[in-house]
Amino acid sequence: MDSNSNMKKFLNWLIDIDFMDFVGLMFKVGLAMLIVFLGVVVIKGLKDDRIMLNEFEVPQNLELAGYKGKVLSRQLQDKLTTLKIEARSSKEDSLHIEFDQTPDLNFQILGVGLSSQSLSYHLKRLMGIESKTISGELIDIDDKLKITLRMTNRIPISFEEHYEMGHIDKSLESLLELTAREILRYSDPYLLVLLKLRKGELDQAENLVREMIEQESKDLDYAYNAWGNIKGRRGDKEGAIKMFEKSLDHNPNFDLPLRSLGWHHFRNEDYEKALTMFERSIDSGTNNFGSYNGKAKSFEKLGMTDKAERSYQASIDKFPNLLWSHAGYWQFLVNVKKDTSAAFEVWKNAESSLKKNADYYVAQSAKFILTMDIDSLLHYTNLALDYNPNHVEALQMKLGLLPELNLDYPESDSLCKRFVELLVKGNYDGGMVQGGYNRWAMNDYRFGKFDSALVHIHKAIDIFPDNPFPWSTLAETYALMGDDARFYQFLDSALIRGLEIKNFLKDEPYNKYVGTPTFEEFLKKKKNTGRLKN
């Protein structure tokens, strides 16, 4: 039967059908569609776990000055977004706070006005499902702003700030910061833990972790992982490992503690355990370069050269656009295989993988490291910095050339400061941050700025106290200050932690001590006690 005959039948049916029957049919279809639509809206509303941020109440004088409730609530939402970005969490975003000003769906059913939100709200109440809301008020009394925050199932909390006439913005900004942080504590405390960690507020971060554990947070795996990082920052290696393992008890395939344990074992020279952790991390589906790099380096340290090389190559295949994947293989070829021609080819091949941006020019400059062509190195490094003034690897390359650049102290200090600030603000490994502070201290003492050197070197030591290099920099600083007693004291601290001093005996200030009876006797004693690592 063709389509024409079907059309004729349909037209005949329309002609024959009673008008009232047709209206009734359309009514039934429309009602069915409305019921389905309402069902979808309500089900979506019941599943909606967002926290609703209501409009804050503000006094009339502030409203007249432009600080309306909607404006205040929107600024608070913006502040929360900023804090979430600063926290740089790899965890799936569980904090969904919406300002309640979106248009709602309104219905008139049998003369009764309903809305999608009201339907969801009343159904949630009937089913015992809690709706989370945030509200509050701002008051202005005697040159003092006070904001009161009200959150579902929480006791109201208030913050106060004095302000000077004409400078209310600064006080309001401070209040919004405090309020936003309190909302994080209520809604996703792990983000607040990360913010405290970023700022080095370890005691406050640890207290928040304890709160998460006591309240049996759904993010206990993240809480214990953060606690491990806190203990690691304090130099408590055993405590850190214990917390990372507890994190894995809650989530055996959690990439962050697996990778952290890998690097802890790697620093402790237990390369087999490190390898196991890195492989588990990769098997968990991680897309993090650190695990692939750790696997390659662990094979390298275990003397499994072929497996190490294949792992470095696999890292480049996985992360062809990442500068560090090429750098890792380059270092392996130079330091382990002693194959400088192959190392040169690494950077040549990288040019085709890297976009023509700052990374590309850093790769170009790296080709001249082995030949120590300072002019070419500096030329391409500056091109990278012209493209991106805050490119970490390009700055690192330039800092390595500081002794050759003949910069004055303000210029070189500015470079060091910018480098460290970028590392601290970025999500960089603690070892890199420590190296940045260590390099900054060395630049300080090179210009005789010993007070600054001591400040920066102690910041470096605080990050990983077991690394010998910052301790040796501390010893060098005191040597240049003419304080021999402290030179020997902190050189001893570096040797205990594994400094291979033979690599530095020709450098200043060690060269002035070599051959002196005191220095030779010092080294002899360390050898006799087994404290000088060769």
Side-chain angles (χ1 to χ4, degrees), residues 433-533:
V433 179
Q434 184 182 58
Y437 277 117
N438 190 59
R439 192 183 293 271
W440 197 354
M442 294 172 71
N443 185 65
D444 288 330
Y445 75 48
R446 201 163 57 91
F447 286 93
K449 308 293 184 180
F450 299 122
D451 289 343
S452 294
L454 293 175
V455 168
H456 295 139
I457 203 57
H458 280 296
K459 285 186 176 182
I461 288 171
D462 287 343
I463 295 172
F464 288 125
D466 288 333
N467 188 341
F469 294 110
W471 291 98
S472 65
T473 303
L474 185 58
E476 292 156 15
T477 304
Y478 280 114
L480 294 170
M481 293 170 67
D483 190 337
D484 287 352
R486 290 190 177 180
F487 165 72
Y488 284 111
Q489 175 189 345
F490 293 114
L491 180 57
D492 182 44
S493 299
L495 294 174
I496 289 170
R497 290 164 174 81
L499 180 74
E500 295 187 13
I501 196 172
K502 66 178 183 179
N503 297 327
F504 306 101
L505 295 180
K506 293 181 180 179
D507 300 332
E508 191 180 6
Y510 301 100
N511 54 3
K512 77 174 186 178
Y513 291 97
V514 174
T516 64
T518 305
F519 190 70
E520 298 304 323
E521 184 64 23
F522 173 80
L523 292 184
K524 184 178 178 182
K525 286 181 180 178
K526 298 304 159 233
K527 287 180 181 177
N528 289 341
T529 58
R531 295 167 77 183
L532 176 59
K533 179 178 178 180

Side-chain angles (χ1 to χ4, degrees), residues 69-84:
K70 286 184 178 180
V71 173
L72 188 68
S73 297
R74 181 61 72 191
Q75 287 180 339
L76 182 57
Q77 189 180 32
D78 292 342
K79 179 62 69 174
L80 282 164
T81 301
T82 300
L83 291 177
K84 286 164 68 174

Side-chain angles (χ1 to χ4, degrees), residues 48-87:
D48 189 358
D49 61 351
R50 291 176 299 174
I51 302 172
M52 194 58 65
L53 176 60
N54 295 323
E55 182 178 332
F56 272 52
E57 297 178 21
V58 298
Q60 189 175 11
N61 67 311
L62 290 178
E63 277 207 344
L64 292 173
Y67 300 102
K68 296 183 178 180
K70 286 184 178 180
V71 173
L72 188 68
S73 297
R74 181 61 72 191
Q75 287 180 339
L76 182 57
Q77 189 180 32
D78 292 342
K79 179 62 69 174
L80 282 164
T81 301
T82 300
L83 291 177
K84 286 164 68 174
I85 292 170
E86 289 177 359

